[in-house]
Amino acid sequence: MHATRREVFKSSLAAAASAVLPNPRSHSPHRAVTPSELQANYAKCDAAAALPVFKRELFPDPVLIDTIELLHYKKSWLCRVRSRDGAEGLSISNSQQMEVLYPLFVQRIAPYFLGRDARDLEALMEEVTVYESNYKATGLAIFVPMATLEFAILDMFGKMSKRSIGLLISDKIYNPKINVYQANGERYITPELTIEHLQRDVAISKAKAIKFKLGGRMSHAETPAGRSEKLIPLVRKTFGDQMVISADANGSYTAAEAIPIGRLMQEYKYAFYEEPVPFDWYEDLKTVADALDIPMALGEQEPSTHNFRWVLANNSVGIVQQDMFYFGGMIRCMRVARMAAALGKQCIPHISSTGLGYLYMMHFVSAIPNSGPYHEFKEFNNDLPYTCATSTLRSDDNGAITVPTSPGVGVEIDPAYIAKHEVMKAVRPANFKDAV
């Protein structure tokens, strides 16, 4: 099925590729689009999203999936995939989410892939959402298990082809280094203490950009009261004009509340305004975007490619922030990044904070031409014993991290540590037949 689809779209998509993939133009102020512009935007998004992502042509022979194992030890959740020919891939899941979602992985996601040709990864990632009516659990419930399995399969293909996983979803590496921004995730502390913590962390990361929290997190009650209005100018005055500054409201405001906050951010030359209203208040987001010049950013919670299409085509966002785990893997995330690129928008992915979340994010950012200038950096879980031959995975004196270039994900997990894990093995349903 995958090959047939490629043949059908080959000629038309090749023509569209040059319009989809170049570096986007700079952000323009949000403005309402005309009906004709809206239809043109939808057409660009659809052409971009239809382009194949996984580079199947690198693998001429079938790669049948033989076993899928979910490995558990304390707070660690790993996924190990093996092919019939002995190829192996490993991924590190989002442990916080997998702690409650592992039954879905073992019973509803992994079984569909057993005996299948892993080269059909794109089609399989779509089909598994229908298997056992998994689409009814759309969101983190199925997307974290799907992403966990996809990362292991990509790691396997990377090792087979001696390529980093970025080169399995892109023709080239656009960003061999990732400039980081230093985030502060605290919300219920004073502006002065927030400043202290940002200064402390920037001294370590050497970041040239920062981001902090606004509002009450999906609540219109802020503690301490008036914190955001005081903090926005204070951060700029403390860090100076050269620091790139953004802020995340996590859906704290109504449109009426969000607009004056955004105007204050514009006054102090902030880079972007993240989730000013609850993430699924699309019309309200558009109201805020239409009233402001500062780019809107959205995507951490977004489960739908079609909804991304709507906010992009309607010029409601300047930056998409899909999460590698929360949105179901790199293939789905790449489609959104390409839609954004087609409309001159940036992609600054959200990062899951556990395991190897920021490493998967770096590989993804390395593979897209429309990445933002700075990306969030989160430390590893120090309980994870790993080595990386091609990167320190820490920011240098210029606030940049080198993306690993070793095959697959680019890190090696201590085999003795892996051996401590309990194996939760997926079982193929009796009525399934091998792909070949």
Side-chain angles (χ1 to χ4, degrees):
M1 185 177 78
H2 194 82
T4 301
R5 184 178 66 172
R6 284 173 176 266
E7 292 170 1
V8 170
F9 286 108
K10 184 177 180 181
S11 59
S12 61
L13 296 185
S18 60
V20 171
L21 296 178
N23 284 312
R25 61 185 180 274
S26 300
H27 291 304
S28 59
H30 295 283
R31 63 174 179 80
V33 295
T34 66
S36 61
E37 288 174 328
L38 181 61
Q39 293 309 309
N41 287 347
Y42 280 138
K44 291 177 182 178
C45 285
D46 292 343
L51 288 167
V53 177
F54 175 62
K55 300 185 75 61
R56 190 181 194 273
E57 62 274 13
L58 296 172
F59 307 94
D61 301 317
V63 181
L64 300 184
I65 298 176
D66 189 40
T67 61
I68 299 172
E69 298 169 315
L70 188 64
L71 310 177
H72 177 227
Y73 172 67
K74 294 184 177 179
K75 294 183 179 181
S76 172
W77 293 88
L78 313 178
C79 174
R80 182 167 57 202
V81 173
R82 290 192 177 101
S83 74
R84 296 277 176 86
D85 296 327
E88 182 178 305
L90 187 74
S91 70
I92 296 85
S93 186
N94 181 304
S95 60
Q96 182 181 21
Q97 301 299 335
M98 192 59 82
E99 187 70 34
V100 296
L101 299 176
Y102 71 88
L104 283 170
F105 180 98
V106 176
Q107 298 174 30
R108 302 278 288 276
I109 301 299
Y112 189 78
F113 287 76
L114 290 169
R116 305 287 186 163
D117 187 345
R119 298 178 305 164
D120 294 331
L121 182 59
E122 284 194 62
L124 293 171
M125 290 295 285
E126 295 175 4
E127 294 164 7
V128 75
T129 64
V130 180
Y131 172 67
E132 295 289 356
S133 297
N134 282 326
Y135 64 88
K136 294 181 182 294
T138 291
L140 291 180
I142 61 168
F143 289 160
V144 170
M146 285 170 57
T148 299
L149 181 52
E150 185 203 75
F151 296 157
I153 292 173
L154 289 175
D155 184 54
M156 177 180 69
F157 277 126
K159 291 171 180 174
M160 290 171 61
S161 61
K162 295 181 172 54
R163 292 169 171 249
S164 71
I165 59 177
L167 288 173
L168 298 177
I169 58 174
S170 177
D171 290 325
K172 62 179 287 187
I173 295 299
Y174 292 92
N175 305 295
K177 286 193 172 186
I178 307 297
N179 295 316
V180 303
Y181 70 75
Q182 181 63 57
N184 177 272
E186 300 164 298
R187 181 172 265 111
Y188 307 109
I189 60 174
T190 66
E192 292 76 15
L193 190 55
T194 304
I195 294 288
E196 284 184 30
H197 292 177
L198 279 168
Q199 289 175 316
R200 174 199 64 198
D201 295 339
V202 166
I204 297 171
S205 67
K206 312 298 183 184
K208 304 299 189 293
I210 55 179
K211 188 180 80 173
F212 60 90
K213 299 293 188 179
L214 298 173
R217 188 177 181 84
M218 296 293 287
S219 167
H220 305 304
E222 182 175 48
T223 305
R227 174 178 178 273
S228 296
E229 289 88 341
K230 184 176 182 180
L231 189 54
I232 289 168
L234 186 59
V235 172
R236 174 58 72 198
K237 291 174 182 177
T238 302
F239 287 94
D241 292 339
Q242 298 305 308
M243 182 66 77
V244 176
I245 306 174
S246 303
D248 179 8
N250 286 116
S252 295
Y253 305 120
T254 64
E257 294 166 337
I259 290 170
I261 292 291
R263 287 179 178 146
L264 187 62
M265 294 170 71
Q266 288 176 174
E267 179 183 347
Y268 288 94
K269 298 179 172 58
Y270 275 49
F272 66 80
Y273 190 0
E274 185 172 340
E275 283 193 350
V277 297
F279 73 93
D280 56 351
W281 290 18
Y282 303 111
E283 293 86 356
D284 298 79
L285 175 67
K286 190 175 187 307
T287 296
V288 177
D290 288 348
L292 300 173
D293 291 342
I294 185 172
M296 301 291 109
L298 177 80
E300 173 185 349
Q301 274 82 227
E302 181 53 60
S304 168
T305 303
H306 202 73
N307 289 346
F308 271 119
R309 176 181 182 266
W310 191 93
V311 295
L312 283 165
N314 281 276
N315 206 22
S316 299
V317 295
I319 298 166
V320 291
Q321 296 179 300
Q322 65 276 37
D323 184 290
M324 301 297 104
F325 276 107
Y326 299 166
F327 198 64
M330 293 193 178
I331 290 171
R332 284 173 51 83
C333 286
M334 181 59 83
R335 292 182 185 130
V336 174
R338 287 177 173 176
M339 287 194 295
L343 299 182
K345 312 292 187 179
Q346 291 183 342
C347 179
I348 303 178
H350 180 261
I351 309 171
S352 302
S353 60
T354 61
L356 286 175
Y358 91 86
L359 179 57
Y360 294 122
M361 179 277 296
M362 286 201 300
H363 279 297
F364 181 80
V365 169
S366 77
I368 60 174
N370 60 319
S371 69
Y374 299 95
H375 297 270
E376 188 170 1
F377 173 63
K378 292 182 177 177
E379 294 280 355
F380 278 122
N381 180 337
N382 291 327
D383 294 332
L384 186 68
Y386 70 93
T387 58
C388 181
T390 55
S391 174
T392 64
L393 298 178
R394 295 294 183 269
S395 56
D396 60 23
D397 289 341
N398 294 314
I401 305 179
T402 298
V403 180
T405 56
S406 302
V409 175
V411 301
E412 297 294 332
I413 308 300
D414 183 357
Y417 177 75
I418 296 174
K420 295 179 180 180
H421 289 65
E422 174 188 2
V423 177
M424 299 180 175
K425 194 169 183 177
V427 179
R428 180 175 47 176
N431 61 340
F432 269 35
K433 295 182 179 180
D434 289 351
V436 176

